[in-house]
Amino acid sequence: MRLLDFFFPERRNTAVIAKDRLKIVLAHERASRDAPDFLAALQKDLLDALGRYVELRTDMLRVKVGKSGDTSLLEINVEIDSAKTKPVKNSAATITPKAAPAMRFDPSAPAPWAKPS
Amino acid sequence: MLTSGKGGVGKTTSAAAIAAGLALRGKRTVVIDFDVGLRNLDLAMGCERRVVFDFINVINGDAKLNQALIKDKRNDNLYIFPTSQTRDKDALKRDGVERVLEELKDSFDYIVCDSPAGIEHGAIIALYFADSAIIVTNPEVYSVRDSDRIIGILASKSRRAEHNLEPVDVHLLLTRYSLERVKKGEMLSVEDVTEILSIPLLGVIPEAESVLRASNTGTPIVFNKKSAAGRAYLDAVARFVGEQPEMHFVQPKRSSIFRTLFGRA
């Protein structure tokens, strides 16, 4: 069989590949199946906040809801080993507007759909 | 209740076979088509020319239950409850479905529900009231993934889940199985699929030409005593009612020259 596989690589055991792919994709889907809706938004906000101090990739922060006995747990894992820290200046005032957007809704500002006067 | 997520895996064929198999064991059985607008159970059962009233007529109160139920001509214990071919799935109102199911419970030992494919309203209503679910799965990646999804939905959106009752009893029925291809490493094996889905195995139905012949003629495959697939369905039914027949068609069998010459699937 090995020899056959060598000469006909497309004949290799595709069932094994199918099983491995299914295991990986289902592990992901099962983890997010019972996740509350706010989880994605929370993950984004955490990334924004932590991103001011360290350079994080999306996959370095994992948020999930689990159970331990009768207690519901919100589990947040941040991987920072390979993350570069960003220079932090003295005060919170140094936060750039981009990293911390100003108030999302400014009541005094004209509505975006209003005609410019 | 038979469901799968994915279409074309053999839900209707299996619903017909399992309902007929239960009836053959002397259980009073009704099989309901939940696939509103895409009626096919009538064809599987060979009663397509006898449909007068349907599930939706009964839900809406336009017909009585006994006007819509079709008695099978081969077995006195078996009744077919066809669905509407012209309405759409929104006609399945939850309270109406519940009322009809409650009424059926009085006269039948088993109510077999054939779910539509997908995870839309029709499929959700079909699984909502289930006590047991048979997940019809083919040994291929799309089907296994969709089965996993529907197992998750059963665990969260069924009536039993919503009311914190004992969870729906879930079984795996692996159809269109080809031992030949499994041996060649071309097809997921029974062990692979049960390991991935981690639900108990109700039966393995071999890929067989007799299944297409059965649907051609509108005869549930269990009425064909010579068919390996028919026997596999009868084994699955036996397991469903609590017996433990040996699992066939999963181990290589010795090929005899006699079988090679005269054997039919």
Side-chain angles (χ1 to χ4, degrees), chain B residues 72-83:
Chain B
D72 188 82
K73 287 190 168 160
R74 293 152 296 213
N75 190 303
D76 290 344
N77 296 315
L78 184 57
Y79 286 78
I80 300 106
F81 198 175
T83 193

Side-chain angles (χ1 to χ4, degrees), chain B residues 98-113:
Chain B
E98 181 171 28
R99 184 172 45 78
V100 175
L101 290 177
E102 283 302 321
E103 203 177 333
L104 286 168
K105 269 187 202 169
D106 297 336
S107 353
F108 289 98
D109 300 322
Y110 287 96
I111 304 171
V112 179
C113 301

Side-chain angles (χ1 to χ4, degrees), chain B residues 174-187:
Chain B
L174 198 59
T175 57
R176 311 198 69 168
Y177 194 69
S178 164
L179 192 55
E180 285 288 300
R181 306 199 70 184
V182 171
K183 279 193 284 181
K184 283 188 199 158
E186 292 177 356
M187 184 181 268

Side-chain angles (χ1 to χ4, degrees), chain B residues 153-226:
Chain B
I153 291 174
L154 273 161
S156 61
K157 290 197 178 155
S158 61
R159 183 186 61 94
R160 282 171 173 267
E162 279 186 1
H163 291 81
N164 283 320
L165 303 170
E166 191 129 312
V168 178
D169 192 22
V170 181
H171 309 267
L172 173 66
L173 185 67
L174 198 59
T175 57
R176 311 198 69 168
Y177 194 69
S178 164
L179 192 55
E180 285 288 300
R181 306 199 70 184
V182 171
K183 279 193 284 181
K184 283 188 199 158
E186 292 177 356
M187 184 181 268
L188 291 165
S189 68
V190 187
E191 293 78 20
D192 292 339
V193 181
T194 47
E195 184 194 324
I196 292 167
L197 293 178
S198 54
I199 58 172
L201 181 65
L202 187 68
V204 178
I205 314 298
E207 171 89 311
E209 291 167 10
S210 54
V211 175
L212 181 59
R213 287 201 298 271
S215 71
N216 286 343
T217 57
T219 316
I221 188 73
V222 291
F223 288 128
N224 179 354
K225 297 280 188 306
K226 287 182 188 155

Side-chain angles (χ1 to χ4, degrees), chain B:
Chain B
M1 199 278 302
L2 287 97
T3 186
S4 68
K6 186 178 178 300
V9 297
K11 276 185 302 298
T12 300
T13 302
S14 300
I18 285 174
L22 286 165
L24 282 172
R25 301 181 71 93
K27 309 286 186 195
R28 286 185 59 79
T29 306
V30 58
V31 55
I32 311 181
D33 193 345
F34 269 79
D35 204 348
V36 182
L38 292 169
R39 176 162 93 197
N40 273 328
L41 185 70
D42 53 341
L43 280 175
M45 301 299 293
C47 65
E48 67 278 8
R49 289 162 52 142
R50 297 166 64 203
V51 177
V52 181
F53 294 111
D54 59 50
F55 194 21
I56 305 300
N57 293 141
V58 178
I59 287 174
N60 292 342
D62 300 331
K64 293 225 173 69
L65 200 51
N66 57 15
Q67 292 176 295
L69 288 182
I70 301 172
K71 189 168 196 254
D72 188 82
K73 287 190 168 160
R74 293 152 296 213
N75 190 303
D76 290 344
N77 296 315
L78 184 57
Y79 286 78
I80 300 106
F81 198 175
T83 193
S84 167
Q85 179 70 328
T86 50
R87 304 293 295 273
D88 62 42
K89 299 204 165 41
D90 295 336
L92 287 171
K93 298 271 181 283
R94 186 181 283 182
D95 50 351
V97 172
E98 181 171 28
R99 184 172 45 78
V100 175
L101 290 177
E102 283 302 321
E103 203 177 333
L104 286 168
K105 269 187 202 169
D106 297 336
S107 353
F108 289 98
D109 300 322
Y110 287 96
I111 304 171
V112 179
C113 301
D114 180 22
S115 167
I119 51 172
E120 309 305 324
H121 175 70
I124 301 296
I125 283 282
L127 66 78
Y128 185 78
F129 295 103
D131 295 318
S132 302
I134 297 175
I135 315 296
V136 185
T137 307
N138 290 166
E140 49 92 13
V141 286
Y142 317 135
S143 175
V144 174
R145 183 195 212 173
D146 293 359
S147 292
D148 191 74
R149 180 91 171 93
I150 211 86
I151 293 166
I153 291 174
L154 273 161
S156 61
K157 290 197 178 155
S158 61
R159 183 186 61 94
R160 282 171 173 267
E162 279 186 1
H163 291 81
N164 283 320
L165 303 170
E166 191 129 312
V168 178
D169 192 22
V170 181
H171 309 267
L172 173 66
L173 185 67
L174 198 59
T175 57
R176 311 198 69 168
Y177 194 69
S178 164
L179 192 55
E180 285 288 300
R181 306 199 70 184
V182 171
K183 279 193 284 181
K184 283 188 199 158
E186 292 177 356
M187 184 181 268
L188 291 165
S189 68
V190 187
E191 293 78 20
D192 292 339
V193 181
T194 47
E195 184 194 324
I196 292 167
L197 293 178
S198 54
I199 58 172
L201 181 65
L202 187 68
V204 178
I205 314 298
E207 171 89 311
E209 291 167 10
S210 54
V211 175
L212 181 59
R213 287 201 298 271
S215 71
N216 286 343
T217 57
T219 316
I221 188 73
V222 291
F223 288 128
N224 179 354
K225 297 280 188 306
K226 287 182 188 155
S227 158
R231 291 198 304 276
Y233 274 115
L234 289 175
D235 284 350
V237 171
R239 282 182 208 105
F240 191 76
V241 300
E243 293 173 14
Q244 292 173 327
E246 194 192 332
M247 195 67 79
H248 298 287
F249 318 109
V250 292
Q251 293 298 324
K253 68 176 166 232
R254 252 172 278 137
S255 64
S256 76
I257 183 79
F258 183 82
R259 194 181 290 278
T260 315
L261 286 175
F262 302 107
R264 270 174 68 171

